[in-house]
Amino acid sequence: MREIESLPALRAVLRTNAPLSGLRLQDLDLTGHEDALLARSDVEGLVVLGGRIPPALDAHLRAHGALVFPTDPRAPVNPYRSTLYQPRELYAGLAEHGYDATPDARAHRWSREAADQRDAFATLLRAIHDDSVTDALDEFIGGVPTVGVMGGHALARGTERYAGAALLGHRLASAGLAVVTGGGPGAMEAANLGAFAPDEASLTAALERLAEVPTFVPDIGAWAELALAVHDDLGRPAATGVPAPPARGRSIGIPTWFYGHEPPNVFCDGIAKYFSNALREEGLLARSTAGLVVLEGAAGTVQEIFQAATPLYYSRAGAALPVVVLVGRQHWTELVPVWPALSALASGRAMADHLHLVDSVDAASELVLASAGG
């Protein structure tokens, strides 16, 4: 392995006495291995990405041809992280100091500070961060079939449509699919909640509790604190008898700091949060290999629909295509008339057989599971 992302992996390499040239040490605290590394001079081309490195070791590695990438102590997140975020990591300090003091809120402000918009180092660190998150996301998902669930952030807890989105997520995850959403509130939170819940009984109880704080407006703190409490109570002990989740998680969120009005939902086994919305959208849709379900939404959801339709439109004959299911006939034909445009684009093309318009999440889950062989 060229990428060393843990101290046990580093110790294993050091024990073999294999050359260190060309290795990438990502986000490691090298303090405890200073003596072993100071004794090595075969480090030309070694790349150290962030982490902690004593000054003497830093100077030694650079003197022998290693590349040491620094970070910025002002950055509220670690640009070189090797794992996805966890909910309590993004909301650290919420109960004690309020949402504005959390890493999530500080990262959003850092991405928007006027002084940093033309700072090449700050923009480079944000780009490195997003690339690190992409790498962690690929490792987390692996080859697990994944279905995307899209929908508006304004959908309130306690509503019938919110419960429907949660049930959709639960059914898809229970069938062995990983459920990935945009990681925000509303329909996204509902689908992640359903996928995260171990059974329908616990999902029903969670829905009742969450209805006490319907939306994140005007108080993100109250919305997130209740969700964190529900998240911790849900759990997924092996004794539940629920089928083992695919890979290391069956509920994944891919939110962005580009939209400050969309705090991340907490019902995820892993959260891949990006500074770049363009990278986030591309990564989200590209990973929906088992299909895409689009619940009612507005501008952001419309953008995702046509972004998903483009590769279908240009697909080559015989290519395996995922299904795209829009839920809400009246919404997508009258209120936001996307379906007529999609149908016109699909006419005479292979994508026509993979586009569906339905009125219920039951019908949507049946189409996805049938397509995925579930």
Side-chain angles (χ1 to χ4, degrees):
M1 292 177 59
R2 296 187 68 200
E3 293 183 3
I4 307 298
E5 299 176 349
S6 70
L7 291 177
L10 175 61
R11 286 193 288 270
V13 169
L14 291 174
R15 282 196 299 268
T16 66
N17 289 319
L20 301 179
S21 301
L23 294 181
R24 279 84 171 100
L25 308 186
Q26 183 175 352
D27 190 26
L28 299 181
D29 183 351
L30 300 180
T31 305
H33 295 79
E34 182 175 10
D35 291 341
L37 290 168
L38 284 172
R40 304 288 293 266
S41 59
D42 56 339
V43 296
E44 185 173 359
L46 173 73
V47 178
V48 181
L49 300 169
R52 293 184 62 188
I53 178 169
L57 179 57
D58 184 312
H60 172 80
L61 294 177
R62 292 177 188 272
H64 288 84
L67 299 175
V68 181
F69 282 71
T71 188
D72 184 344
R74 298 179 306 143
V77 293
N78 176 10
Y80 302 101
R81 63 177 303 115
S82 59
T83 61
L84 297 185
Y85 289 100
Q86 291 299 307
R88 287 200 174 275
E89 183 181 359
L90 289 172
Y91 284 110
L94 176 66
E96 299 82 3
H97 307 293
Y99 174 70
D100 285 346
T102 64
D104 186 66
R106 290 188 290 115
H108 176 253
R109 288 196 298 272
W110 183 60
S111 72
R112 293 300 179 199
E113 287 175 357
D116 287 335
Q117 296 307 307
R118 295 180 180 274
D119 183 337
F121 184 48
T123 57
L124 176 62
L125 287 179
R126 288 195 283 269
I128 290 173
H129 169 276
D130 284 1
D131 190 66
S132 298
V133 166
T134 295
D135 185 53
L137 181 60
D138 287 337
E139 293 177 357
F140 188 82
I141 293 178
V144 175
T146 304
V147 58
V149 179
M150 313 299 165
H153 69 270
L155 183 61
R157 299 167 176 172
T159 63
E160 184 177 347
R161 288 198 294 119
Y162 184 96
L167 185 58
L168 170 68
H170 185 71
R171 287 177 177 171
L172 295 172
S174 297
L177 299 174
V179 174
V180 60
T181 80
M188 296 171 281
E189 179 188 60
N192 281 133
L193 167 65
F196 188 80
D199 51 59
E200 288 198 26
S202 60
L203 175 57
T204 299
L207 289 169
E208 292 177 358
R209 289 179 64 188
L210 290 170
E212 297 173 11
V213 182
T215 76
F216 62 96
V217 179
D219 189 351
I220 293 175
W223 174 85
E225 282 197 67
L226 176 58
L228 286 167
V230 172
H231 169 281
D232 292 349
D233 288 344
L234 277 174
R236 282 204 299 272
T240 60
V242 175
R248 283 159 290 172
R250 61 188 215 170
S251 181
I252 302 164
I254 309 182
T256 176
W257 280 295
F258 184 81
Y259 295 120
H261 64 281
E262 286 192 4
N265 82 72
V266 307
F267 298 108
C268 302
D269 296 296
I271 301 173
K273 191 150 192 180
Y274 285 84
F275 288 104
S276 168
N277 186 55
L279 291 177
R280 172 254 195 161
E281 292 283 9
E282 175 61 26
L284 177 59
L285 295 168
R287 287 170 177 78
S288 300
T289 54
L292 182 68
V293 178
V294 186
L295 304 173
E296 295 179 9
T301 308
V302 170
Q303 174 187 344
E304 290 165 342
I305 290 173
F306 285 106
Q307 193 166 342
T310 301
L312 298 182
Y313 181 86
Y314 289 109
S315 62
R316 289 179 287 184
L321 303 179
V323 295
V324 176
V325 186
L326 276 62
V327 182
R329 194 175 303 272
Q330 182 184 18
H331 183 86
W332 295 120
T333 58
E334 298 178 19
L335 296 178
V336 184
V338 165
W339 183 253
L342 277 181
S343 300
L345 287 171
S347 180
R349 292 180 174 268
M351 68 182 286
D353 295 330
H354 298 268
L355 297 177
H356 303 273
L357 178 63
V358 300
D359 273 321
S360 69
V361 293
D362 290 342
S365 62
E366 289 174 4
L367 283 166
V368 171
L369 293 177
S371 174

